[in-house]
């Protein structure tokens, strides 16, 4: 494919996305507003949904037959991420509220911790359930591998493999 053909494909793709945006943005905003009960969050998630569409591989955009189904699927995934972040933040704020005033963190420190927790949550979300449980039992509850193996009803060797998987995932997300 020549450079001019490539530019024509990009222009056509952008025109089709602009058409999808103008035809479905209002509908998506209303749908998200009903789910979130907040126009600002709905606008943010609608924008993120269209950004995902823009960044999707061109071949996927060319075969988009049901734009609302695609937009709904992407928006639902973004909603799940949004609620997960809200839940994580709420748990963190509850933990902070229980700390003595001398141990309170500055707003900057809280932001850093919140961002770290979100990265850890994203890492854990991609792990199989047993791997995630083993990782949490080891690093949150401080249990030894033998105790984790008993609780999860697997071998200690399996726990070691699970931990390697979890650490590999951590390293990949850090890089």
């Amino acid at each position: 494919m020549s450079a001019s053909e490539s530019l024509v494909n990009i222009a056509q793709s952008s025109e089709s996305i602009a058409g999808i945006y103008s035809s479905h943005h209002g509908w998506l905003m209303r749908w998200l507003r009903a789910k979130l009960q907040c126009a600002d969050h709905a606008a943010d998630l609608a924008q993120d949904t269209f950004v995902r569409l823009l960044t999707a591989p061109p071949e996927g955009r060319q075969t988009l037959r049901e734009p609302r189904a695609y937009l709904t699927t992407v928006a639902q995934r973004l909603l799940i991420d949004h609620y997960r972040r809200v839940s994580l933040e709420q748990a963190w704020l509850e933990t902070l509220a229980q700390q003595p005033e001398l141990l309170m963190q500055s707003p900057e420190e809280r932001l850093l911790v919140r961002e770290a927790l979100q990265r850890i949550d994203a890492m854990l979300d991609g792990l199989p359930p047993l791997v995630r449980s083993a990782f949490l039992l080891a690093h949150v509850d401080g249990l030894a591998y033998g105790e984790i193996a008993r609780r999860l009803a697997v071998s200690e060797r399996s726990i070691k493999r699970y931990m390697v998987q979890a650490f590999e995932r951590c390293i990949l997300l850090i890089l």
Side-chain angles (χ1 to χ4, degrees):
M1 181 183 310
S2 71
S4 61
E5 289 174 327
S6 218
L7 288 174
V8 168
N9 284 344
I10 291 170
Q12 289 172 341
S13 179
S14 295
E15 287 174 17
S16 65
I17 291 173
I20 291 171
Y21 185 88
S22 63
S23 298
H24 302 288
H25 183 264
W27 165 81
L28 183 61
M29 280 289 297
R30 287 187 300 277
W31 186 82
L32 286 166
R33 199 175 307 124
K35 299 278 185 196
L36 293 166
Q37 305 300 316
C38 175
D40 293 335
H41 288 147
D44 289 343
L45 288 181
Q47 196 66 28
D48 289 346
T49 301
F50 282 101
V51 167
R52 294 275 173 100
L53 177 60
L54 278 169
T55 59
E59 54 276 1
R61 290 186 296 214
Q62 291 170 353
T63 60
L64 192 59
R65 291 188 186 110
E66 296 292 333
R68 285 195 179 181
Y70 176 85
L71 294 172
T72 301
T73 300
V74 172
Q76 283 176 328
R77 290 177 183 157
L78 291 170
L79 273 170
I80 290 168
D81 290 344
H82 169 77
Y83 285 127
R84 183 180 293 131
R85 278 191 307 276
V86 167
S87 174
L88 190 62
E89 187 174 333
Q90 185 60 38
W92 176 245
L93 291 173
E94 288 171 7
T95 301
L96 280 179
Q98 295 173 3
Q99 287 185 351
E101 211 169 303
L102 292 175
L103 298 177
M104 294 299 268
Q105 297 173 325
S106 70
E108 294 83 12
E109 290 173 319
R110 277 186 257 157
L111 178 63
L112 290 173
V113 169
R114 187 177 339 146
E115 289 172 351
L117 286 171
Q118 288 173 348
R119 285 193 305 272
I120 291 167
D121 182 57
M123 186 271 306
L124 293 176
D125 185 48
L127 294 173
L130 282 174
V131 176
R132 182 175 42 249
S133 295
F135 183 84
L136 290 172
L137 289 169
H139 293 285
V140 175
D141 295 345
L143 299 180
Y145 288 4
E147 177 60 25
I148 296 169
R150 280 189 291 286
R151 284 194 183 190
L152 298 180
V154 297
S155 69
E156 193 169 331
R157 184 174 177 177
S158 292
I159 297 301
K160 290 176 184 177
R161 278 196 328 268
Y162 296 162
M163 296 306 288
V164 168
Q165 269 185 274
F167 285 124
E168 284 175 348
R169 177 109 172 132
C170 288
I171 290 169
L172 288 174
L173 287 176
I174 290 171
L175 300 176

